[in-house]
């Protein structure tokens, strides 16, 4: 089994929003009000500091997947 990059996967299966959620603001609100379909991880987020530029540090609260070293990590700022 070969690894497929995220970009290749997005090209093959692009994100197409529901017709009622074409507006980005509606998507943001829906993310808050519509219940998730997957089980939430019952773990406390791990605080971690990232150096993003000389003299600049960002404190994050990470919720890792199991076996996090073999999974991709996405950082949203």
């Amino acid at each position: 089994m070969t690894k497929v990059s995220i970009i290749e996967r997005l090209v093959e299966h692009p994100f197409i929003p529901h017709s009622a959620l074409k507006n980005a603001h509606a998507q943001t609100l829906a993310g808050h009000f519509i219940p998730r379909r997957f089980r939430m991880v019952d773990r406390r987020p791990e605080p971690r500091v990232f150096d993003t530029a000389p003299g600049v540090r960002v404190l994050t609260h990470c919720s890792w997947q199991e076996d996090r070293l073999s999974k991709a990590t996405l950082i949203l700022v």
Side-chain angles (χ1 to χ4, degrees), residues 49-53 55-59:
V49 176
F50 290 92
D51 294 317
T52 57
V56 179
R57 301 179 101 189
V58 176
L59 172 64

Side-chain angles (χ1 to χ4, degrees), residues 1-76:
M1 184 172 177
T2 61
K3 285 191 172 187
V4 178
S5 76
I6 293 172
I7 293 173
E8 291 171 328
R9 196 170 287 175
L10 286 172
V11 169
E12 292 174 13
H13 305 285
F15 172 72
I16 301 172
H18 185 276
S19 59
L21 301 174
K22 295 274 184 193
N23 180 299
H25 298 294
Q27 291 177 34
T28 300
L29 293 172
H32 177 74
F33 291 108
I34 297 175
R36 297 172 186 253
R37 290 187 279 175
F38 57 86
R39 181 179 63 84
M40 294 297 289
V41 177
D42 189 24
R43 281 185 262 157
R44 296 181 70 147
E46 173 190 334
R48 185 162 181 177
V49 176
F50 290 92
D51 294 317
T52 57
V56 179
R57 301 179 101 189
V58 176
L59 172 64
T60 62
H61 299 280
C62 303
S63 297
W64 302 105
Q65 295 189 33
E66 292 180 21
D67 193 21
R68 66 184 180 189
L69 295 178
S70 68
K71 309 288 187 203
T73 301
L74 174 67
I75 301 174
L76 299 175

